[in-house]
Amino acid sequence: MNTKEILTFTVNVGSLMLSSGAEIYRVKETIVHILNGLAVEEFDVYVVSNGIFASAHENREDACSVIRNITKAEMHSGKISAINQLSRDIYNHDCDFEEAKERFAQIEKIPRTKYKYLLLFCGIGASAFTYMFKGSLYDCLISLINGFILGYFLYKVKGSKFIRNIFGAFIVSGVAMIAAKLFPILNYNAIIIGTLMPLVPGVALTTGVRDLFHGDYLSGAIHMLDAFITGLCIAVGVGTLVSLIAMMKGYGIW
């Protein structure tokens, strides 16, 4: 088998895992398992949060290296799980190279959850969190609507993730404050906190901690920074809205 073809295939597999939200150590272990399963020798693999560097057969005539830059990552557990199983089958010699390429092509085509379901569960999640934070059923209803609005910003609006987080937090907080102004029975604190929970960077924070524990300090620091900036964007969005309302109250408008 051609070494470059194998190495390119393996790096493509790792790139798909990385772009699907897999941890750094998991991506590296998967690449190593596949290369071992395909009898590639003298290889080196280095994985960071936005790139993969791999080389093989460095002391032979068919030496080669492959570099991939991953600029966008969206969580897709289905692809990660399928690739994990593929790597195990390759390592255990239950799958040859040609079959592995066919299976990987099928994995790449696994669709993401439909937008309408993402929107639905974002609303349900926001409503459930509001109830958990002692919100009433009326609060949960407003959070359900707010969740749909937030889902639109998360999954439909293009552009920087941080800008979407700022404007998403600003708008859903505004909806909660306006609803509480019109219906004093509502608890806008529970509505805002519950609606903002889908924005909380739990995956980035958890991944960062796991990377740090596995010795991937650079990737861990990048994920932790991403989580911090996301939290800061949420605070900016809500803080701007609260400051604006306080200013309006000072002028007797609110």
Side-chain angles (χ1 to χ4, degrees):
M1 289 182 289
N2 184 280
T3 303
K4 187 172 184 179
E5 184 180 7
I6 294 175
L7 189 62
T8 300
F9 165 77
T10 308
V11 172
N12 287 340
V13 171
S15 299
L16 184 60
M17 288 192 73
L18 205 56
S19 63
S20 298
E23 302 92 332
I24 301 302
Y25 79 91
R26 188 189 300 274
V27 175
K28 184 176 181 179
E29 286 181 356
T30 298
I31 294 175
V32 170
H33 286 331
I34 293 176
L35 291 175
N36 283 326
L38 296 176
V40 177
E41 301 174 350
E42 299 178 2
F43 60 82
D44 287 303
V45 179
Y46 181 64
V47 183
V48 291
S49 60
N50 59 348
I52 298 176
F53 308 82
S55 63
H57 293 171
E58 297 179 359
N59 298 319
R60 291 166 46 172
E61 292 183 359
D62 60 343
C64 62
S65 61
V66 178
I67 299 174
R68 285 287 182 277
N69 178 37
I70 294 88
T71 57
K72 186 178 181 181
E74 295 182 10
M75 196 68 194
H76 197 309
S77 301
K79 290 184 179 180
I80 296 174
S81 177
I83 291 175
N84 282 337
Q85 186 58 52
L86 175 62
S87 68
R88 293 189 191 99
D89 291 342
I90 294 174
Y91 184 75
N92 295 325
H93 304 290
D94 295 329
C95 174
D96 60 25
F97 185 51
E98 293 303 321
E99 183 184 350
K101 289 194 295 183
E102 293 177 2
R103 286 177 58 180
F104 179 65
Q106 294 174 357
I107 292 172
E108 287 183 303
K109 296 177 182 178
I110 296 176
R112 296 190 178 276
T113 305
K114 292 183 179 180
Y115 169 68
K116 61 181 180 180
Y117 296 125
L118 293 173
L119 206 64
L120 174 64
F121 288 114
C122 188
I124 293 175
S127 181
F129 277 118
T130 297
Y131 184 77
M132 188 178 72
F133 288 112
K134 302 185 185 304
S136 66
L137 293 179
Y138 297 110
D139 298 331
C140 292
L141 179 60
I142 300 299
S143 291
L144 181 67
I145 299 171
N146 248 351
F148 295 152
I149 297 172
L150 184 63
Y152 175 80
F153 271 88
L154 290 178
Y155 307 118
K156 272 293 185 182
V157 176
K158 304 298 181 182
S160 170
K161 177 182 72 172
F162 303 120
I163 298 299
R164 283 184 285 136
N165 286 339
I166 291 174
F167 279 97
F170 179 87
I171 290 175
V172 298
S173 299
V175 171
M177 297 291 284
I178 292 172
K181 180 70 174 178
L182 297 175
F183 305 100
I185 192 175
L186 296 176
N187 180 2
Y188 65 83
N189 288 316
I191 296 172
I192 292 175
I193 296 173
T195 306
L196 292 178
M197 287 304 292
L199 285 177
V200 175
V203 174
L205 184 62
T206 303
T207 302
V209 172
R210 295 188 69 172
D211 286 340
L212 290 174
F213 275 117
H214 281 86
D216 296 310
Y217 300 115
L218 177 60
S219 298
I222 291 173
H223 282 119
M224 296 288 281
L225 180 62
D226 178 68
F228 173 77
I229 294 177
T230 301
L232 182 63
C233 289
I234 296 172
V236 169
V238 178
T240 302
L241 187 279
V242 172
S243 299
L244 183 61
I245 290 179
M247 184 173 63
M248 292 171 65
K249 285 182 178 180
Y251 287 105
I253 301 175
W254 187 264

